[in-house]
Amino acid sequence: MKTNTTIKNLPAEQRRAVTVEAVIELAAEKNPASITTAEIAERMQLTQGALFRHFPNKDALWQSVMEWLAAQLLGRIDRVIATTGSPLEALELMFAAHIDFVAKHPGAPRMMFAELQRPDPTAAKAIAQTMLRHYSDRVGKLLAKGMGEGIIDPDLDVAAASVMFIGMVQGLVMQSMIAGDIAVMLGNAKPLFALYARGIKQRNHER
Amino acid sequence: MKTNTTIKNLPAEQRRAVTVEAVIELAAEKNPASITTAEIAERMQLTQGALFRHFPNKDALWQSVMEWLAAQLLGRIDRVIATTGSPLEALELMFAAHIDFVAKHPGAPRMMFAELQRPDPTAAKAIAQTMLRHYSDRVGKLLAKGMGEGIIDPDLDVAAASVMFIGMVQGLVMQSMIAGDIAVMLGNAKPLFALYARGIKQRNHER
DNA sequence: GAAGATAGTAATTGATTACAATCTTTTATG
DNA sequence: CATAAAAGATTGTAATCAATTACTATCTTC
């Protein structure tokens, strides 16, 4: 059963949730910075003024969107990491989960990027920053664990490897924007991670 | 001698050049999509209306900006590639040149990203797309050459390695946006490329 | 040094923006 | 079935946007 986004007179909480979804949908199609409240309302089959019954202002709405994104992505990642004890496998599952999430919500990385670009320190920007810090922490911990287990190269620059991990996702996002096709990401994800793994793995010297 | 950006009554060509520079400067500070013609004019010590003496509309200005970016980046890269015969060294120099360019013009990657996000097929967007295609071609050619010479792993997925290359730059850009500091990029560039090189290099079996 | 060309100013346009006030409909509850 | 509260529609406002206007200042050239 799909969440019905066209029904009217939703309870406030549901309406807020539907609004967040609408914003992320729109962010998949255009620059998040130029999404207007009128567009959001139109997408929801609602009048523009009605939005402000559920959010005090646009910034508050944006904050809700970022909170939803952070919770969703980190939640998915943590769930997937917990299924395995192998750090390398965990990284692969984490990457796959991230790509899957981005493929389902192409607006997500664009919202992140757009928020980080804002010069003023808004609440939404702060959420994006801490969210990415948490993300990097997860990657860093897995890498450190792998180094401890002798699976990952002990001389690895963990900071660089974290940047590369996030960069892979960004690279795939860019590629899909050039191609104008989100599906491209899914096809390139596997070989991309294989290349990453090849770069960080401990070399086997007794062969 | 520096180009004076504050003098009035500049010849049209110079004024257009100065305008492009002003836009890229502004793009370093905020989301390019929300740069207004009034802001651009203010930065140039000019009235807003005067801009439209040199550009028929805002789109034309943005097209000029993208053309400048594409010419600058590809020019730098081609110049640097030509200095060496080694594909791996060429890739490293290319990466360094790109990072150096982005560090000097932080607005550049943001403009690119913002343009690619636009839903309508504008001239500026088309320039960004072809520019990135040319960029990928350069990376792909160097990788293929390296594979031919036995330096790079013959089983390498060239497409994935190209995505990763661009992703590295994007990853550094994101990191610098989180930190709010452009200098971070330069410090992480070297170990990042080392990690990349480790992933694509041909393994030495006789050791 | 006049004359034409070029560059810039200041004010204004209609469209669009986030947001607010008021009125109407729908829903929940006893 | 009455009624209050919640949700939405309608209408409006002040600010801001890209773009245009009529006009002025400054160069260039013969």
Side-chain angles (χ1 to χ4, degrees):
Chain A
M1 191 174 69
K2 235 185 179 175
T3 41
N4 197 336
T5 56
T6 57
I7 273 185
K8 289 197 181 181
N9 293 311
L10 291 181
E13 202 176 333
Q14 280 187 44
R15 176 58 75 200
R16 277 193 292 269
V18 168
T19 309
V20 167
E21 280 175 39
V23 171
I24 292 168
E25 266 184 54
L26 281 167
E29 299 162 18
K30 58 181 296 185
N31 195 323
S34 46
I35 295 174
T36 66
T37 53
E39 282 172 325
I40 299 164
E42 191 192 4
R43 169 83 40 140
M44 306 166 65
Q45 317 247 50
L46 212 69
T47 54
Q48 186 251 358
L51 281 183
F52 290 89
R53 222 161 253 293
H54 303 286
F55 298 93
N57 51 49
K58 200 188 180 185
D59 249 30
L61 166 54
W62 245 238
Q63 189 181 335
S64 290
V65 173
M66 296 309 293
E67 277 166 358
W68 187 89
L69 285 180
Q72 283 286 316
L73 182 57
L74 290 178
R76 279 168 185 247
I77 281 165
D78 283 340
R79 239 170 289 136
V80 126
I81 289 176
T83 64
T84 178
S86 157
L88 203 63
E89 195 192 15
L91 281 171
E92 182 158 17
L93 291 175
M94 180 174 167
F95 182 66
H98 192 158
I99 295 301
D100 180 68
F101 177 70
V102 169
K104 280 200 182 75
H105 305 284
R110 300 182 186 188
M111 288 284 311
M112 282 286 162
F113 205 80
E115 273 312 308
L116 292 174
Q117 284 190 20
R118 289 170 67 153
D120 49 331
T122 63
K125 185 183 178 183
I127 295 166
Q129 285 176 321
T130 56
M131 187 262 173
L132 278 168
R133 251 189 283 275
H134 286 157
Y135 191 95
S136 282
D137 283 352
R138 305 262 197 308
V139 176
K141 284 232 173 72
L142 288 172
L143 289 172
K145 193 182 171 200
M147 286 163 79
E149 293 178 8
I151 298 160
I152 291 173
D153 178 29
D155 297 328
L156 180 75
D157 187 319
V158 177
S162 290
V163 172
M164 177 98 78
F165 196 92
I166 294 174
M168 282 197 296
V169 180
Q170 277 294 112
L172 282 176
V173 169
M174 278 208 94
Q175 202 201 208
S176 73
M177 289 201 308
I178 299 165
D181 177 22
I182 309 131
V184 180
M185 281 200 308
L186 298 167
N188 279 107
K190 247 199 158 67
L192 198 58
F193 185 82
L195 180 56
Y196 182 74
R198 197 172 189 270
I200 64 171
K201 263 186 200 157
Q202 165 82 295
R203 296 283 196 257
N204 199 348
H205 285 287
E206 45 269 353
R207 228 191 196 266
Chain B
M1 191 175 68
K2 235 182 179 179
T3 41
N4 197 335
T5 56
T6 57
I7 272 184
K8 289 197 179 181
N9 291 311
L10 290 181
E13 202 175 334
Q14 280 187 43
R15 177 57 76 199
R16 278 193 291 269
V18 168
T19 309
V20 167
E21 280 175 38
V23 171
I24 293 168
E25 266 184 54
L26 282 167
E29 300 162 17
K30 58 182 295 186
N31 194 324
S34 47
I35 294 173
T36 67
T37 53
E39 281 172 326
I40 299 165
E42 191 191 4
R43 169 87 38 144
M44 305 167 65
Q45 318 247 48
L46 213 67
T47 53
Q48 183 252 353
L51 283 182
F52 292 89
R53 300 247 152 240
H54 302 287
F55 299 93
N57 50 48
K58 202 188 180 186
D59 250 29
L61 166 53
W62 284 63
Q63 189 180 336
S64 290
V65 173
M66 296 309 292
E67 277 166 357
W68 187 89
L69 285 180
Q72 283 286 316
L73 182 57
L74 291 178
R76 278 166 185 250
I77 280 166
D78 283 340
R79 239 171 290 138
V80 127
I81 289 176
T83 63
T84 179
S86 157
L88 204 63
E89 194 191 18
L91 280 171
E92 182 158 18
L93 291 174
M94 181 174 167
F95 183 64
H98 193 158
I99 295 299
D100 180 69
F101 177 70
V102 170
K104 280 200 181 74
H105 305 284
R110 301 181 186 189
M111 289 283 312
M112 281 286 163
F113 205 80
E115 272 313 307
L116 291 174
Q117 283 190 27
R118 290 171 66 153
D120 49 331
T122 63
K125 185 183 180 183
I127 294 166
Q129 286 175 320
T130 56
M131 188 260 173
L132 278 168
R133 252 190 283 274
H134 287 157
Y135 191 95
S136 283
D137 283 352
R138 305 261 195 311
V139 176
K141 285 232 172 72
L142 288 171
L143 289 172
K145 194 181 168 200
M147 287 164 79
E149 293 177 8
I151 298 161
I152 291 172
D153 178 30
D155 297 328
L156 180 75
D157 187 318
V158 176
S162 289
V163 172
M164 177 96 81
F165 195 92
I166 293 174
M168 282 198 295
V169 180
Q170 277 295 112
L172 283 176
V173 169
M174 278 209 94
Q175 201 201 211
S176 72
M177 288 201 308
I178 299 165
D181 177 23
I182 310 133
V184 180
M185 282 201 308
L186 299 166
N188 280 108
K190 248 202 157 69
L192 198 58
F193 186 82
L195 181 56
Y196 182 74
R198 197 171 190 272
I200 64 171
K201 263 185 199 158
Q202 165 80 299
R203 296 283 195 257
N204 199 349
H205 286 287
E206 46 270 354
R207 227 190 197 265

